[in-house]
Coordinates of all heavy atoms in Angstrom, one line a residue:
M15 N 86.2 157.4 87.0 CA 87.2 156.3 87.2 C 87.7 155.8 85.9 O 86.9 155.5 85.0 CB 86.5 155.1 88.0 CG 87.4 154.0 88.3 SD 86.7 152.8 89.4 CE 85.5 151.9 88.4
G16 N 89.0 155.8 85.7 CA 89.5 155.3 84.5 C 89.5 153.8 84.3 O 89.4 153.1 85.3
I17 N 89.6 153.4 83.1 CA 89.5 152.0 82.8 C 90.7 151.2 83.4 O 90.7 150.0 83.7 CB 89.4 151.7 81.3 CG1 88.8 150.3 81.1 CG2 90.7 151.9 80.6 CD1 88.2 150.1 79.8
D18 N 91.9 151.9 83.6 CA 93.1 151.3 84.2 C 93.1 151.4 85.7 O 94.1 150.9 86.3 CB 94.3 152.0 83.6 CG 94.4 151.8 82.1 OD1 94.0 150.7 81.6 OD2 95.0 152.7 81.4
D19 N 92.2 152.0 86.3 CA 92.2 152.2 87.8 C 91.8 150.9 88.5 O 90.6 150.5 88.4 CB 91.3 153.3 88.2 CG 91.7 153.9 89.5 OD1 92.7 153.4 90.1 OD2 91.0 154.9 90.0
E20 N 92.7 150.3 89.1 CA 92.5 149.0 89.8 C 91.7 149.2 91.1 O 91.8 150.2 91.8 CB 93.8 148.4 90.2 CG 93.8 147.0 90.8 CD 95.1 146.5 91.1 OE1 96.1 147.0 90.7 OE2 95.2 145.5 91.9
L21 N 90.8 148.3 91.4 CA 90.0 148.3 92.6 C 90.5 147.3 93.6 O 90.9 146.2 93.2 CB 88.5 148.0 92.2 CG 87.8 148.9 91.3 CD1 86.4 148.5 91.0 CD2 87.8 150.4 91.9
L22 N 90.5 147.8 94.8 CA 91.0 146.9 95.9 C 89.8 146.6 96.8 O 88.8 147.4 97.0 CB 92.0 147.6 96.8 CG 93.3 148.1 96.1 CD1 94.1 148.9 97.1 CD2 94.0 146.9 95.5
T23 N 89.8 145.4 97.4 CA 88.7 145.0 98.3 C 88.9 145.6 99.6 O 90.0 146.1 100.0 CB 88.7 143.4 98.4 OG1 89.9 143.0 99.1 CG2 88.5 142.7 97.1
R24 N 87.9 145.5 100.5 CA 88.0 146.0 101.8 C 89.1 145.3 102.6 O 89.9 145.9 103.3 CB 86.7 145.8 102.5 CG 86.6 146.4 103.9 CD 85.2 146.2 104.5 NE 84.3 147.1 103.8 CZ 83.0 146.9 103.7 NH1 82.4 145.8 104.2 NH2 82.2 147.8 103.1
N25 N 89.3 143.9 102.4 CA 90.3 143.2 103.0 C 91.7 143.6 102.6 O 92.6 143.6 103.4 CB 90.1 141.7 102.8 CG 89.0 141.1 103.6 OD1 88.6 141.7 104.6 ND2 88.4 140.0 103.2
E26 N 91.9 143.9 101.3 CA 93.1 144.4 100.8 C 93.5 145.7 101.4 O 94.7 145.9 101.8 CB 93.1 144.4 99.3 CG 93.1 143.1 98.6 CD 92.8 143.2 97.1 OE1 92.1 144.1 96.6 OE2 93.3 142.3 96.4
V27 N 92.6 146.6 101.6 CA 92.8 147.9 102.2 C 93.2 147.7 103.7 O 94.1 148.3 104.2 CB 91.6 148.8 102.0 CG1 91.9 150.2 102.7 CG2 91.4 149.1 100.5
M28 N 92.5 146.8 104.3 CA 92.7 146.5 105.8 C 94.2 146.0 105.9 O 94.9 146.4 106.8 CB 91.7 145.5 106.3 CG 90.4 146.1 106.5 SD 89.0 145.0 107.0 CE 89.8 143.6 107.6
E29 N 94.6 145.1 105.0 CA 95.9 144.6 105.1 C 97.0 145.7 104.8 O 98.0 145.8 105.5 CB 96.1 143.4 104.1 CG 97.4 142.8 104.1 CD 97.8 142.1 105.4 OE1 97.0 141.7 106.2 OE2 99.1 142.1 105.7
L30 N 96.7 146.5 103.8 CA 97.7 147.5 103.4 C 97.9 148.5 104.5 O 99.1 148.9 104.8 CB 97.1 148.2 102.1 CG 98.0 149.2 101.5 CD1 99.3 148.6 101.0 CD2 97.3 149.9 100.3
F31 N 96.9 149.0 105.2 CA 97.0 150.0 106.2 C 97.1 149.4 107.6 O 97.3 150.1 108.6 CB 95.7 150.9 106.2 CG 95.8 151.9 105.1 CD1 95.0 151.8 104.0 CD2 96.6 153.0 105.2 CE1 95.0 152.7 103.0 CE2 96.6 154.0 104.2 CZ 95.8 153.9 103.1
K32 N 96.9 148.1 107.7 CA 96.9 147.4 109.0 C 95.9 148.0 110.0 O 96.1 148.4 111.1 CB 98.3 147.5 109.7 CG 99.4 147.0 108.9 CD 99.4 145.5 108.7 CE 100.6 145.0 108.0 NZ 100.4 144.2 106.8
I33 N 94.6 148.1 109.4 CA 93.5 148.7 110.2 C 92.4 147.7 110.2 O 92.4 146.7 109.5 CB 93.1 150.0 109.5 CG1 92.7 149.9 108.1 CG2 94.2 151.1 109.7 CD1 92.1 151.1 107.4
S34 N 91.3 148.0 111.0 CA 90.2 147.2 111.1 C 89.0 147.6 110.2 O 89.1 148.7 109.7 CB 89.7 147.2 112.6 OG 89.2 148.5 112.9
A35 N 88.1 146.8 110.0 CA 86.9 147.1 109.2 C 86.1 148.3 109.7 O 85.7 149.2 108.9 CB 85.9 145.9 109.1
P36 N 86.0 148.5 111.1 CA 85.3 149.7 111.5 C 86.1 151.0 111.2 O 85.4 152.0 110.9 CB 85.2 149.5 113.1 CG 85.2 148.0 113.3 CD 86.2 147.5 112.2
T37 N 87.4 150.9 111.1 CA 88.2 152.1 110.7 C 87.9 152.4 109.3 O 87.7 153.6 109.0 CB 89.7 151.8 111.0 OG1 89.9 151.6 112.3 CG2 90.5 153.0 110.5
I38 N 87.8 151.5 108.4 CA 87.5 151.7 107.0 C 86.1 152.3 106.9 O 85.9 153.3 106.1 CB 87.6 150.4 106.2 CG1 89.1 150.0 106.1 CG2 87.1 150.7 104.8 CD1 89.3 148.7 105.3
Y39 N 85.2 151.8 107.7 CA 83.8 152.3 107.6 C 83.8 153.8 108.1 O 83.2 154.7 107.4 CB 83.0 151.5 108.6 CG 81.5 152.0 108.7 CD1 80.6 151.8 107.6 CD2 81.1 152.7 109.8 CE1 79.3 152.2 107.7 CE2 79.8 153.2 109.8 CZ 78.9 153.0 108.8 OH 77.6 153.4 108.9
R40 N 84.6 154.1 109.1 CA 84.6 155.5 109.6 C 85.3 156.4 108.5 O 84.9 157.6 108.3 CB 85.4 155.6 110.9 CG 84.6 155.2 112.1 CD 85.3 155.6 113.4 NE 86.7 155.1 113.5 CZ 87.0 154.0 114.0 NH1 86.1 153.1 114.4 NH2 88.3 153.6 114.1
W41 N 86.4 155.9 107.9 CA 87.1 156.7 106.9 C 86.1 157.0 105.7 O 86.2 158.1 105.2 CB 88.3 156.0 106.4 CG 89.5 156.0 107.3 CD1 89.5 156.5 108.6 CD2 90.7 155.5 107.1 NE1 90.7 156.3 109.2 CE2 91.5 155.7 108.3 CE3 91.3 154.8 106.0 CZ2 92.8 155.3 108.4 CZ3 92.7 154.4 106.2 CH2 93.4 154.7 107.3
G42 N 85.2 156.1 105.4 CA 84.2 156.3 104.4 C 83.3 157.4 104.8 O 82.9 158.2 104.0
K43 N 82.8 157.3 106.0 CA 81.8 158.3 106.5 C 82.5 159.7 106.6 O 81.8 160.7 106.3 CB 81.4 157.9 107.9 CG 80.4 156.8 108.0 CD 79.1 157.2 107.4 CE 78.1 156.1 107.5 NZ 76.8 156.4 106.9
K44 N 83.8 159.8 106.9 CA 84.5 161.1 106.9 C 85.0 161.6 105.6 O 85.5 162.7 105.5 CB 85.7 161.0 107.9 CG 85.3 160.8 109.3 CD 86.6 160.7 110.2 CE 86.2 160.5 111.7 NZ 87.4 160.5 112.5
G45 N 84.9 160.7 104.5 CA 85.3 161.1 103.2 C 86.8 160.9 103.0 O 87.3 161.4 102.0
I46 N 87.5 160.2 103.9 CA 88.9 160.0 103.7 C 89.1 159.0 102.6 O 90.0 159.1 101.8 CB 89.5 159.4 105.0 CG1 89.4 160.5 106.1 CG2 90.9 159.0 104.8 CD1 89.7 160.1 107.5
L47 N 88.3 157.9 102.5 CA 88.3 157.0 101.4 C 86.8 156.9 100.9 O 85.9 156.8 101.7 CB 88.7 155.6 101.9 CG 90.2 155.3 102.1 CD1 90.4 153.9 102.5 CD2 90.9 155.5 100.7
K48 N 86.7 156.9 99.6 CA 85.4 156.8 99.0 C 85.1 155.4 98.6 O 85.8 154.9 97.7 CB 85.2 157.7 97.8 CG 83.8 157.7 97.3 CD 83.7 158.7 96.1 CE 82.3 158.6 95.6 NZ 82.1 159.4 94.4
P49 N 84.2 154.7 99.2 CA 83.8 153.3 98.8 C 83.1 153.3 97.5 O 82.3 154.2 97.2 CB 83.0 152.8 99.9 CG 82.4 154.0 100.6 CD 83.3 155.1 100.3
I50 N 83.3 152.3 96.7 CA 82.6 152.0 95.4 C 81.9 150.7 95.6 O 82.5 149.7 95.8 CB 83.6 151.9 94.3 CG1 84.4 153.2 94.1 CG2 82.9 151.6 93.0 CD1 85.6 153.2 93.2
K51 N 80.6 150.8 95.5 CA 79.7 149.6 95.7 C 79.3 149.1 94.4 O 78.8 149.8 93.5 CB 78.5 150.0 96.5 CG 78.8 150.4 97.9 CD 77.6 150.7 98.8 CE 78.0 151.1 100.1 NZ 76.9 151.5 101.0
I52 N 79.6 147.8 94.2 CA 79.2 147.1 93.0 C 78.4 145.9 93.5 O 79.0 144.9 94.0 CB 80.5 146.6 92.1 CG1 81.3 147.9 91.7 CG2 80.0 145.8 90.9 CD1 82.6 147.6 91.0
G53 N 77.1 145.9 93.3 CA 76.3 144.9 93.9 C 76.3 145.0 95.4 O 76.2 146.1 96.0
K54 N 76.6 143.9 96.0 CA 76.8 143.9 97.5 C 78.2 144.0 97.9 O 78.5 144.0 99.1 CB 76.2 142.6 98.0 CG 74.7 142.5 97.9 CD 74.1 141.3 98.5 CE 72.6 141.2 98.4 NZ 72.1 140.1 99.1
K55 N 79.1 144.1 97.0 CA 80.6 144.2 97.3 C 81.0 145.7 97.4 O 80.5 146.5 96.6 CB 81.4 143.4 96.3 CG 81.0 141.9 96.4 CD 82.0 141.1 95.6 CE 81.6 139.7 95.7 NZ 82.7 138.8 95.8
V56 N 82.0 145.9 98.2 CA 82.6 147.3 98.3 C 84.1 147.2 97.9 O 84.8 146.3 98.3 CB 82.5 147.7 99.8 CG1 83.1 149.1 100.0 CG2 81.0 147.8 100.2
F57 N 84.4 148.2 97.1 CA 85.8 148.3 96.6 C 86.3 149.8 96.8 O 85.5 150.7 97.1 CB 85.9 148.0 95.1 CG 85.5 146.6 94.8 CD1 84.1 146.3 94.4 CD2 86.4 145.6 94.8 CE1 83.7 145.1 94.1 CE2 86.0 144.3 94.5 CZ 84.7 144.0 94.1
Y58 N 87.6 149.9 96.7 CA 88.3 151.2 96.8 C 89.2 151.4 95.7 O 89.9 150.4 95.3 CB 89.0 151.4 98.2 CG 88.0 151.2 99.3 CD1 87.7 149.9 99.9 CD2 87.4 152.3 99.9 CE1 86.8 149.8 100.9 CE2 86.5 152.1 100.9 CZ 86.2 150.9 101.4 OH 85.3 150.7 102.4
K59 N 89.3 152.6 95.1 CA 90.3 152.8 94.0 C 91.7 152.8 94.5 O 92.0 153.4 95.5 CB 90.0 154.1 93.3 CG 88.7 154.1 92.6 CD 88.5 155.3 91.6 CE 88.8 156.6 92.1 NZ 88.5 157.7 91.2
K60 N 92.5 152.0 93.8 CA 93.9 152.0 94.2 C 94.6 153.4 94.1 O 95.4 153.7 95.0 CB 94.7 151.0 93.3 CG 96.1 150.8 93.7 CD 96.8 149.7 92.8 CE 98.2 149.4 93.3 NZ 98.8 148.4 92.5
S61 N 94.2 154.2 93.2 CA 94.8 155.5 93.1 C 94.4 156.4 94.3 O 95.2 157.2 94.8 CB 94.3 156.2 91.8 OG 92.9 156.3 91.8
D62 N 93.2 156.2 94.9 CA 92.9 156.9 96.1 C 93.7 156.4 97.3 O 94.1 157.2 98.1 CB 91.4 156.7 96.5 CG 90.4 157.4 95.5 OD1 90.9 158.2 94.7 OD2 89.2 157.0 95.6
I63 N 94.0 155.1 97.4 CA 94.8 154.6 98.4 C 96.3 155.1 98.3 O 96.9 155.6 99.3 CB 94.9 153.0 98.4 CG1 93.5 152.4 98.4 CG2 95.8 152.5 99.4 CD1 92.8 152.7 99.7
E64 N 96.8 155.1 97.1 CA 98.1 155.7 96.8 C 98.2 157.1 97.2 O 99.2 157.6 97.8 CB 98.6 155.4 95.4 CG 98.8 154.0 95.1 CD 99.0 153.7 93.6 OE1 98.6 154.6 92.8 OE2 99.4 152.6 93.3
K65 N 97.2 157.9 96.9 CA 97.2 159.3 97.2 C 97.2 159.5 98.7 O 97.9 160.3 99.2 CB 95.9 160.0 96.6 CG 95.8 161.4 96.8 CD 94.5 162.0 96.2 CE 94.3 163.4 96.6 NZ 93.1 164.0 96.0
L66 N 96.4 158.7 99.4 CA 96.3 158.8 100.9 C 97.6 158.5 101.5 O 98.1 159.1 102.4 CB 95.2 157.9 101.4 CG 94.9 157.9 102.9 CD1 94.5 159.3 103.3 CD2 93.8 156.9 103.2
L67 N 98.3 157.4 101.0 CA 99.6 157.0 101.5 C 100.6 158.2 101.3 O 101.4 158.5 102.1 CB 100.1 155.7 100.8 CG 99.4 154.5 101.3 CD1 99.8 153.3 100.5 CD2 99.8 154.2 102.8
N68 N 100.6 158.7 100.1 CA 101.6 159.8 99.7 C 101.4 161.0 100.6 O 102.3 161.6 101.1 CB 101.5 160.2 98.3 CG 102.1 159.1 97.4 OD1 102.9 158.4 97.7 ND2 101.5 159.1 96.1
E69 N 100.1 161.4 100.9 CA 99.8 162.5 101.7 C 100.2 162.3 103.2 O 100.6 163.2 103.8 CB 98.3 162.9 101.7 CG 97.9 163.5 100.4 CD 96.4 163.7 100.3 OE1 95.7 163.4 101.2 OE2 95.9 164.2 99.2
S70 N 100.2 161.1 103.6 CA 100.5 160.8 105.0 C 102.0 160.9 105.2 O 102.5 161.0 106.4 CB 100.0 159.4 105.4 OG 100.7 158.4 104.8
Y71 N 102.8 160.8 104.2 CA 104.3 160.9 104.3 C 104.9 162.2 103.9 O 106.1 162.3 103.8 CB 104.9 159.7 103.5 CG 104.7 158.4 104.1 CD1 103.8 157.5 103.6 CD2 105.4 158.1 105.3 CE1 103.7 156.2 104.2 CE2 105.2 156.8 105.9 CZ 104.4 155.9 105.3 OH 104.2 154.7 105.9
K72 N 104.0 163.2 103.6 CA 104.5 164.5 103.3 C 105.3 165.1 104.4 O 104.8 165.0 105.6 CB 103.4 165.5 102.9 CG 102.9 165.2 101.5 CD 101.9 166.3 101.1 CE 101.4 166.0 99.7 NZ 100.3 167.0 99.3
I73 N 106.4 165.8 104.1 CA 107.2 166.4 105.1 C 106.8 167.9 105.1 O 106.8 168.6 104.1 CB 108.7 166.3 104.8 CG1 109.1 164.8 104.9 CG2 109.5 167.1 105.8 CD1 110.5 164.5 104.4
P74 N 106.4 168.4 106.3 CA 106.0 169.9 106.3 C 107.1 170.8 105.9 O 108.3 170.5 106.4 CB 105.5 170.1 107.7 CG 105.8 168.9 108.5 CD 106.3 167.8 107.6
E75 N 106.8 171.8 105.2 CA 107.9 172.8 104.8 C 108.0 173.8 105.9 O 107.1 174.1 106.6 CB 107.5 173.5 103.5 CG 107.4 172.6 102.3 CD 107.0 173.3 101.1 OE1 107.1 174.6 101.0 OE2 106.6 172.7 100.1
D76 N 109.3 174.3 106.1 CA 109.5 175.4 107.1 C 109.0 176.7 106.5 O 109.1 177.0 105.4 CB 111.0 175.5 107.3 CG 111.6 174.3 108.0 OD1 110.8 173.6 108.7 OD2 112.8 174.1 107.9
N77 N 108.3 177.4 107.4 CA 107.8 178.7 107.0 C 108.7 179.8 107.3 O 109.4 179.9 108.2 CB 106.4 179.0 107.7 CG 105.4 178.1 107.1 OD1 105.5 177.6 106.0 ND2 104.3 177.9 107.9

């Protein structure tokens, strides 16, 4: 993790994706989002969120 990589809270990720806490938990278990635990708090790298958003909007190429 780079020093410039911003961390988002669970609530910020829920608001960004319009999803529930159980969904974030499942995404963590499936490896879709990797949680970062600092003490008792859980964060997510903003760069991981941006990557996930960009991948979800990719247009498939014609074969």
Side-chain angles (χ1 to χ4, degrees):
M15 182 168 76
I17 200 160
D18 294 331
D19 203 0
E20 185 179 347
L21 296 178
L22 301 175
T23 65
R24 188 176 284 153
N25 286 338
E26 290 171 327
V27 175
M28 287 174 17
E29 179 64 28
L30 185 62
F31 282 104
K32 306 291 188 234
I33 58 174
S34 66
T37 299
I38 292 178
Y39 178 77
R40 280 194 307 272
W41 285 4
K43 288 289 187 185
K44 291 181 178 182
I46 296 170
L47 279 180
K48 184 178 179 187
I50 299 169
K51 295 181 181 178
I52 301 175
K54 292 184 180 184
K55 297 190 181 219
V56 178
F57 299 93
Y58 300 87
K59 290 195 311 185
K60 186 175 181 180
S61 61
D62 289 347
I63 303 296
E64 290 170 346
K65 181 180 175 185
L66 184 59
L67 284 171
N68 288 333
E69 288 176 0
S70 69
Y71 286 107
K72 281 187 180 175
I73 299 171
E75 295 180 18
D76 291 336
N77 290 339

